[in-house]
Amino acid sequence: MSTAKQQYAALGINTDRAIRQALGTSISMHCWQADDVGGFEVKEAGLAGGGIMATGNYPGRARTPDEARQDYEQVLKLVPGTLRLNLHACYAETAGKIVDRDALEPRHFANWMAWGKQQRVHLDFNPTFFAHPKANDGFTLSHTDRAIRQFWIQHGIACRYIAEAMARKQGGPCVVNYWIPDGCKDYPADRWTHRALLTESLDAILRKQSRLCVDYVESKLFGLGSEEYVVGSAEYYSSYALSRGIGYCLDMGHWHPTEEIYDKISAYLQFHKKLLLHVSRPVRWDSDHVVLFNDALRNIFLEIQRGHAWDRVALATDYFDASINRIAAYVIGLRATRKAILYALLDPTVKLKKLEAAGDNAGRLALMDEMKTMPFGAVWDELCRQADKPPDRAWMDEVRQYETRILSRRT
Ligand code: RNT
Ligand code: ZN
């Protein structure tokens, strides 16, 4: 580590400071990898996914909230740095009773809040506008049927109320993210009405100002069953967020199949105050693969570092792979995210900008590429050591043991 430290220092980079900042940067871990986005509310059997789908049937899926929490605790042991838990409304615990989404209350999340307190993990929240009979037409907040719209508006309002309770309990704000599946498979004759209705519905949900909720709207280009038209597109939500003074959420998988989001960050942040990033790994379509330490991920954090924008972005993971050990899926993706944050914090930004200002574009290109073979692994190992978490190649055995002890019994 000491030579690694010196090598970075020679480029003007303080590894200790980078480690400290990387550990302190919050990543909101999605609750839904543990159970393939099923949720725990009591509902009718056989409901469709509503535009998203986890593929695979690897054994060990969490079947109850207690099992999920047990899994998250195992993940927390293996991932260094500050984590939050990003809950969906369909993870409500209603003691065996059917409580419809418009009637959810903070008490249905009391166990989650107690768990967060006990684990010192802050909670974020998402209304669930899918996997419900009233979402089966493919429209929710933008449905032309007023009663259906009203139901989902009520759900949104209920969720903000729950998020406020979470914020109070944890003594810090709760990020609330709105994603709706609304759209259609083929050319609609009327693209306009749904978008106008969505504006009305969102305005109704957000009418009450809240200092405890930090609201974001998440755009998408296409989804399962909404291949042609998505009401909440990038242009729509970016404009909506800007006009209403709320946040905009970019999911890495919600663009054209080869489009990446790193270049968008400096564009949006000229005008938006803040962004939420759904850290994911698209493979050909919005398939939500386990996040890896790849260029797409590193480039995002490099942009944030180079633009000094860490306090203007919130980070949350979003993927679901049901074909491999789900704990490993969490740990791989969360560690990769933390790694990419650290990698960006070790960027020789000052030096690169100097080379650029001097017109030395070849020098800039060379240094950017050579940073990839710096002794980054040693700094990462040191970060894990400081956080008292296993280094690379030392955590998978623990996951295998957990699989034998716990997951394999869940059949
Ligand atoms: C769906 C969005 C959304 C969901 C979660 C479960 O395409 O990415 O964020 O993945 O709300
Ligand atoms: Zn997302």
Side-chain angles (χ1 to χ4, degrees), residues 32 177 218 249 251 254 278 288 318:
W32 49 91
N177 181 52
E218 178 180 3
C249 169
D251 183 305
H254 288 186
H278 266 193
D288 300 280
D318 181 11

Side-chain angles (χ1 to χ4, degrees), residues 224-243:
L224 284 174
S226 63
E227 287 82 0
E228 213 299 312
Y229 169 67
V230 170
V231 182
S233 60
E235 296 77 8
Y236 175 87
Y237 273 140
S238 165
S239 307
Y240 181 82
L242 206 54
S243 65

Side-chain angles (χ1 to χ4, degrees), residues 74-112:
Q74 179 57 53
V75 174
L76 292 176
K77 287 186 190 146
L78 302 176
V79 177
T82 311
L83 294 177
R84 301 170 64 95
L85 181 72
N86 198 12
L87 272 180
H88 240 287
C90 60
Y91 288 69
E93 290 172 84
T94 57
K97 284 197 213 72
I98 294 194
V99 177
D100 213 347
R101 302 253 178 97
D102 59 341
L104 287 171
E105 292 176 39
R107 65 192 169 98
H108 301 126
F109 296 87
N111 292 343
W112 290 110

Side-chain angles (χ1 to χ4, degrees), residues 15 38 47 62 143 185 203 238 338 340-341 364 384 396-397 407:
T15 49
L47 273 179
H143 204 296
K185 184 183 175 80
D203 284 351
S238 165
R338 182 78 63 208
I341 292 170
R364 179 189 62 187
C384 294
M396 193 60 208
D397 272 340
L407 301 180

